[in-house]
Amino acid sequence: MQGNNHDDVRRHNLSIILRLVHRGGAASRAQLTRLTGLNRSTIGALVAELVERGLVEERTPDPTKLAGRPSPIVAASDRIVAIAVNPEIDAITVGAVALSGVVHRLIRYATPSSPSIAEAVTITAGIVAKLKRDLGEYSIIGIGVAVPGLVRASDGLVRHAPHLGWVDEPLCDLLAAATGIPVVAANDASLGVTAERYFGSGQGLTDLVYLNGGSSGIGGGLVIGGVAAGGQAGYAGEFGHTRVSDGIDTDSAGIAGTLEAEVTRHALLAALGLQAGETDADTLERALLASDSLIVRNLVNRQLDFLAIALASAVNMLNPQLIVLGGFLAALHAVDPERLNVAVAALTLPAAFAEVSIAPAVLGSNLLMIGAAELAFEALLVDPQQDRGNTTGLPLLGFRAADTAAPTFSTSQGHPLS
Amino acid sequence: MQGNNHDDVRRHNLSIILRLVHRGGAASRAQLTRLTGLNRSTIGALVAELVERGLVEERTPDPTKLAGRPSPIVAASDRIVAIAVNPEIDAITVGAVALSGVVHRLIRYATPSSPSIAEAVTITAGIVAKLKRDLGEYSIIGIGVAVPGLVRASDGLVRHAPHLGWVDEPLCDLLAAATGIPVVAANDASLGVTAERYFGSGQGLTDLVYLNGGSSGIGGGLVIGGVAAGGQAGYAGEFGHTRVSDGIDTDSAGIAGTLEAEVTRHALLAALGLQAGETDADTLERALLASDSLIVRNLVNRQLDFLAIALASAVNMLNPQLIVLGGFLAALHAVDPERLNVAVAALTLPAAFAEVSIAPAVLGSNLLMIGAAELAFEALLVDPQQDRGNTTGLPLLGFRAADTAAPTFSTSQGHPLS
DNA sequence: GTGATACGTTGCCAATGTCAACAAATCATC
DNA sequence: GATGATTTGTTGACATTGGCAACGTATCAC
C-alpha cells in the first residue's frame, strides 16, 4: 500500500515505453502515443530520456504510405545486454541477449559430468569474463539463471535441483561475487512461460499455463491475471506431482500416481528403442510420428490420457486461455492433438473448456535463454531510471566492461519478435 | 499498457487511503502517513477530499498515551452502502453493508421453491426498494450478487447455476433495470475468498486458496500474487472437479472420480442420520465431533484423504501460503486436522508444503454478504473520484434515495474488522 | 508552568503531463 | 513543381500535484 508521487509517474511511464519497445519490437513515436494514451510532447520527452540513458535508439522513419510527417522509430538498444545462464546435467549454456532481442552470443560449455555448484559458478564466471571482454562497449546489466529445480524467489536460493544434485545452494550470491554482476535466478519452467508469454504463443494473453516435459520430469509455470504466478516462495507450477491415477509408480519426489510417474520421456524412448542421451525433442517427435508400432501408439494414448487429467485439473482450477506444452509433451501432443482435446473436454466444465486452447511451445532451443534474460532485464524494465542520483556523468547501468576491444559476434540473431 | 498522468496519481492515492480505512479499519492520519509513505500535508489534502465526498469521516482523536498532538481518526463512512444479494435454493438473502463494515440490514426472504431468474429479480428488487426507503439518507453505490454457479466476469452473465437451474441468465442487466442501481455479480466461492482475504483468516496474504463445501458441491476461489484470480472468464476455482480417484461415481458435471463425487455433505449427513434441510454447518461439525460411530469415522477419514489429494494438487501447482476451508469441509477438517495435514504433506513437495497452513474459514454466515458487498465497493475503491465532472453540486455516488424517512435498523453489526 | 514531542497547516517550490500554436515532413492532386 | 491536406515533432505557457520547511497547536512528563 504505497502512495504514488511524481517520480513514480515518470518511472512508470518510462517503464511502459521501454517494455513496449522491448517486448513488442520497435515502434514509432506516434504508435507509442496511441498505445500509451500519453501526449505527443510527453512521449517525446520520455523517449529522449531513454535515448540519453542509452536504453533505446531512434532510427530514421520507415518509409510509409501515409500522409503526414514520418515518426521516428524507437527501438530497444542492442548495447544493453543481459547474460542468460542455464546449467544442465551435461553442459552449461550461456547467452548474451540484448534488450533489442538480438542474441549476441550463445556458448554451450559441455561438462564431463553433472557440475557441482562450485564448478558451475567457476565455469560460468569464466565465460562471463570472456563475454565482458568481447562485449566491452556494451552494458551488461545483469545475469539471469534458469535452474532446473526449485528456486526460492526471495533470494534466489536453489532449494533443490534433483537433476544437478544441488540442495540449498546460494547460487546467486556465489555467482554475483565471482562476476561482480547482479544475479537473479528462477525455475527454468517459470522462465519458459515468461518467454512464451512475451515472445511465443502466449503473446497478449493474461491466463496461461505452461507444462514442460524434460528428461528428469515435468515442470511448468503459470501466468494468472497477467502476472507470472510464483506462489509464496516461487515454487508454483509443479504440475509433475499432480495426481492422475491410483497407480503405484512413484515420481522423483516419491509420490505415487502422479503425472510425472505415469508420463515419462524415458518410457517413450524405450518403446521407440532410442537412446536417451542422443535424442533431442525434435528427433523424438519425428520418431513418434513415424512409428507404426502398436505398442508405441498404446503408450502414447495412455500418456495422453494421463496428461489430459492433469490439464483438466488446471483448466478447472485456473480457467486459462491457453495451455502451452513444451519438451516431450509437445511431441506427445503432436501425435494426436485431437485425442488430448477430447480427453480434456470430457473432464472439464464446458464453460471453462470452451475458450481454452492447447498448443505446443513455439520457441525452440532459445526458450530458456530468452526467459533468463528477461528475468535479468526485469529490474531495468521496472525502473529505467536505476542510475538516477549518479553524479559521475557516466552511465552506471549495471556493469560496464573496462576492456573496449571490438566485439566479434559468433551468434547474432533476433528473437521471434516480429 | 496505459500511461500515467496527474489524475492517475491522485486517484491512486485516494484509492489507497480509502482501501486502508475500509479494509484495515479506522486509522489516524499519522498512521496513514506512515503506511503510505506520503507526506503529512498530502495525507491532509487527500483525507479532506475523501471527507468532502462523504466517503470517510474524521473523528476526534483517541486518547493516547503518547506525547504530541493527537491525530484525528479517519474512518470509512457508515453512509456509503452496498447491497449484497445471495440467491439460494430456498431463500434470497439481501444485506445492506456500509463502507465502514457495519451491516445495516440483513434480510432473508424464504422462497417456497428454487426461484426462477424472474422471481429472484422481482423479489430482490422489492427488498431493495424497501431498503432505499429505509436508508433514505444513505448513498447506495451498487449491488453485488453472490451466485452459486459460473458467472462470466466480463458482463455478469450467469452461465450455469445448476442448483438454481439458471442457464445463461443476464442477471446483472435484469436487476439493474429493475432497481436503477449498478449491479455486479460473481461466483459465491470467489466472493468467499475475497471476504476471507480481507476480513478473515487470509489477511495480508498474497497466495491463498479457498475451498467451500456446500450442499450442492465444492467450489472455491483463488488469490494469487495478491490478486483475485478469476481466470480468463471468471470461472477459476472449480476445485470440485479435480480428479482424486479412479472411482466411477460422478459429480454434478458428470465427471467421474472427482473431489465433488467422493467428498459430499450428503454422505456425511446420511452416515450421521441427519436431515439435509435442517442441518447447518455448525450442527454438522458438532455432530461429527460428537459421533463415536466407526462408520462415520471411516467415512470422514476417507473423505479427508480425498480432500488431501485435491489440496496437494493445489499446493504443488500454486504454492500458496494458506488454504482456507469453508462449509462442510471446515467440519471435516475439525474432526482430524492432523490427518489432513499428514496426508497433504505426503503428496506435496516438501519445500512447497513447508510454509502452507490449512485453516477453517473464520467468517461465518456473513461471509457471502461481505464478499458481495466488497464486489460492489470495488469500483468505488478503484476510483474514489467517480463523480468528478459532476457540476450539480450534489453527490452523485451511485444511487441516492429520494425518500428521507428516518432509518430504523433491524441489524447493525460490524465486520470482524478490528 | 516549561520543555519535549508529535502532528496539522500553510505557503512556496519542483516535477510532470497537457495543451495550443507552430514548424516540419510526407502524400495527393493539379 | 507548386499547393493543400495530413500527420507528427517541438516549444513554451500552464495546471496540478506532492514534497518540504517553517510555524502553530495539542498532548505528556516533570
Side-chain angles (χ1 to χ4, degrees):
Chain A
M1 285 293 206
Q2 282 272 317
N4 256 8
N5 58 25
H6 285 131
D7 291 347
D8 295 327
V9 175
R10 185 70 160 197
R11 175 161 52 239
H12 180 241
N13 287 343
L14 287 171
S15 170
I16 280 188
I17 293 179
L18 193 55
R19 287 192 135 97
L20 280 172
V21 299
H22 167 57
R23 296 192 176 140
S28 73
R29 272 157 70 164
Q31 284 176 300
L32 293 175
T33 302
R34 282 188 289 270
L35 288 169
T36 59
L38 294 170
N39 194 276
R40 287 205 300 260
S41 32
T42 308
I43 292 291
L46 292 169
V47 170
E49 180 169 348
L50 292 175
V51 168
E52 194 181 356
R53 290 174 183 278
L55 300 175
V56 305
E57 286 155 9
E58 281 196 296
R59 296 200 302 253
T60 53
D62 280 340
T64 164
K65 297 200 173 73
L66 289 171
R69 179 175 177 173
S71 195
I73 304 296
V74 181
S77 171
D78 281 337
R79 301 175 166 268
I80 302 292
V81 173
I83 294 181
V85 179
N86 177 221
E88 289 175 296
I89 194 166
D90 56 352
I92 294 173
T93 310
V94 180
V97 184
L99 196 59
S100 61
V102 169
V103 179
H104 285 314
R105 292 289 178 88
L106 197 57
I107 296 164
R108 184 181 154 92
Y109 184 101
T111 55
S113 61
S114 174
S116 70
I117 181 79
E119 288 165 356
V121 168
T122 305
I123 291 167
T124 305
I127 299 173
V128 169
K130 175 167 158 46
L131 286 173
K132 271 190 199 176
R133 288 193 299 274
D134 291 355
L135 303 175
E137 291 191 344
Y138 292 44
S139 284
I140 298 176
I141 60 129
I143 298 177
V145 189
V147 180
L150 253 39
V151 180
R152 194 201 281 160
S154 54
D155 57 0
L157 182 88
V158 178
R159 282 300 308 274
H160 184 43
H163 212 181
L164 298 168
W166 298 356
V167 175
D168 288 341
E169 301 287 1
L171 172 64
C172 286
D173 295 343
L174 295 173
L175 194 53
T179 61
I181 302 176
V183 181
V184 278
N187 172 265
D188 54 357
S190 311
L191 296 178
V193 75
T194 298
E196 283 288 339
R197 182 248 269 252
Y198 290 125
F199 305 110
S201 50
Q203 287 180 60
L205 301 185
T206 57
D207 291 271
L208 187 54
V209 169
Y210 172 75
L211 271 79
N212 186 66
S215 55
S216 59
I218 294 173
L222 305 169
V223 172
I224 296 177
V227 295
Q232 75 153 339
Y235 309 146
E238 289 295 329
F239 292 99
H241 311 287
T242 302
R243 170 80 152 240
V244 296
S245 84
D246 290 350
I248 58 167
D249 289 348
T250 59
D251 60 24
S252 61
I255 310 172
T258 63
L259 180 65
E260 198 172 287
E262 300 286 2
V263 178
T264 69
R265 186 166 174 271
H266 174 79
L268 290 172
L269 291 173
L272 288 164
L274 294 172
Q275 292 298 313
E278 301 162 6
T279 312
D280 64 12
D282 287 343
T283 311
L284 174 60
E285 182 167 328
R286 277 194 302 274
L288 282 176
L289 286 169
S291 167
D292 53 5
S293 153
L294 198 63
I295 292 174
V296 169
R297 186 57 198 244
N298 283 340
L299 179 66
V300 166
N301 286 348
R302 190 180 139 85
Q303 294 204 355
L304 280 173
D305 292 347
F306 283 128
L307 180 59
I309 293 174
L311 298 188
S313 283
V315 168
N316 286 326
M317 277 171 64
L318 302 173
N319 183 213
Q321 292 154 324
L322 178 67
I323 296 175
V324 179
L325 300 175
F328 80 83
L329 297 180
L332 266 183
H333 174 259
V335 178
D336 195 347
E338 197 47 30
R339 184 185 181 99
L340 189 63
N341 256 320
V342 169
V344 172
L347 299 172
T348 49
L349 297 175
F353 181 77
E355 294 179 53
V356 69
S357 318
I358 303 175
V362 300
L363 298 175
S365 54
N366 277 351
L367 180 75
L368 293 187
M369 292 290 105
I370 294 169
E374 201 61 24
L375 183 67
F377 283 134
E378 184 58 25
L380 181 65
L381 293 171
V382 165
D383 180 11
Q385 295 178 312
Q386 284 184 344
D387 63 346
R388 71 187 172 294
N390 165 28
T391 54
T392 66
L394 293 171
L396 286 184
L397 276 168
F399 174 85
R400 172 169 279 258
D403 189 341
T404 56
T408 56
F409 299 125
S410 55
T411 306
S412 189
Q413 171 190 339
H415 280 184
L417 274 174
S418 53
Chain B
M1 286 292 205
Q2 283 273 315
N4 256 8
N5 59 24
H6 285 133
D7 292 347
D8 295 326
V9 176
R10 184 70 160 196
R11 177 162 48 241
H12 180 242
N13 286 342
L14 288 171
S15 168
I16 281 190
I17 292 179
L18 192 56
R19 286 191 135 97
L20 280 172
V21 299
H22 167 56
R23 296 192 177 142
S28 73
R29 279 209 227 170
Q31 285 176 300
L32 294 175
T33 302
R34 283 187 290 269
L35 287 168
T36 59
L38 294 170
N39 193 275
R40 285 206 299 258
S41 38
T42 309
I43 291 291
L46 293 169
V47 169
E49 180 168 347
L50 292 175
V51 168
E52 195 182 355
R53 290 175 183 278
L55 300 176
V56 305
E57 288 156 8
E58 281 196 296
R59 295 199 304 253
T60 53
D62 281 338
T64 164
K65 297 202 173 72
L66 289 171
R69 179 175 176 174
S71 195
I73 303 297
V74 182
S77 171
D78 281 337
R79 300 174 166 270
I80 303 292
V81 173
I83 293 181
V85 180
N86 177 223
E88 289 174 294
I89 193 166
D90 55 352
I92 294 174
T93 309
V94 180
V97 184
L99 196 60
S100 61
V102 170
V103 180
H104 286 315
R105 291 290 178 87
L106 197 57
I107 296 165
R108 184 180 155 93
Y109 185 101
T111 55
S113 61
S114 176
S116 71
I117 181 78
E119 288 164 356
V121 168
T122 305
I123 291 168
T124 305
I127 298 174
V128 169
K130 174 168 159 42
L131 285 174
K132 271 190 198 175
R133 287 194 299 275
D134 291 354
L135 303 175
E137 292 193 344
Y138 292 42
S139 285
I140 298 174
I141 60 131
I143 298 177
V145 189
V147 180
L150 254 37
V151 180
R152 193 200 282 159
S154 55
D155 56 359
L157 183 87
V158 178
R159 283 301 307 275
H160 184 44
H163 211 181
L164 298 167
W166 297 356
V167 175
D168 288 342
E169 300 288 1
L171 172 64
C172 286
D173 295 343
L174 294 173
L175 194 52
T179 60
I181 303 176
V183 181
V184 280
N187 172 264
D188 53 357
S190 311
L191 296 179
V193 74
T194 298
E196 283 288 337
R197 181 248 270 250
Y198 291 124
F199 304 109
S201 51
Q203 288 180 58
L205 301 185
T206 58
D207 292 90
L208 185 55
V209 170
Y210 172 75
L211 270 80
N212 185 65
S215 54
S216 59
I218 294 173
L222 306 169
V223 173
I224 296 177
V227 296
Q232 76 154 335
Y235 310 145
E238 290 294 330
F239 291 99
H241 310 287
T242 302
R243 171 81 152 238
V244 297
S245 84
D246 290 350
I248 57 168
D249 290 348
T250 60
D251 60 24
S252 61
I255 311 173
T258 62
L259 180 65
E260 198 172 289
E262 299 286 2
V263 178
T264 68
R265 184 165 174 272
H266 175 78
L268 290 171
L269 292 173
L272 287 163
L274 294 172
Q275 292 298 313
E278 302 161 5
T279 312
D280 64 12
D282 287 342
T283 311
L284 173 60
E285 181 167 328
R286 277 194 302 273
L288 282 176
L289 286 169
S291 167
D292 53 4
S293 152
L294 198 63
I295 293 174
V296 170
R297 187 56 200 244
N298 283 341
L299 178 65
V300 166
N301 285 349
R302 190 179 139 85
Q303 294 205 356
L304 280 172
D305 291 347
F306 282 129
L307 180 59
I309 293 173
L311 298 189
S313 283
V315 168
N316 286 327
M317 278 171 64
L318 302 173
N319 183 212
Q321 292 153 324
L322 177 68
I323 296 175
V324 178
L325 299 175
F328 81 84
L329 297 181
L332 266 183
H333 173 260
V335 177
D336 195 346
E338 197 47 30
R339 184 184 182 100
L340 187 62
N341 256 320
V342 169
V344 172
L347 298 172
T348 49
L349 297 175
F353 181 75
E355 294 179 52
V356 68
S357 318
I358 303 175
V362 300
L363 299 174
S365 53
N366 277 351
L367 180 75
L368 293 187
M369 291 292 106
I370 295 170
E374 201 61 25
L375 183 67
F377 282 134
E378 184 58 25
L380 180 64
L381 292 172
V382 165
D383 180 12
Q385 296 178 314
Q386 285 184 342
D387 63 346
R388 70 188 173 293
N390 163 29
T391 54
T392 66
L394 293 171
L396 285 185
L397 276 168
F399 174 85
R400 172 170 279 258
D403 189 341
T404 56
T408 56
F409 300 124
S410 56
T411 307
S412 188
Q413 169 191 341
H415 281 184
L417 273 174
S418 53

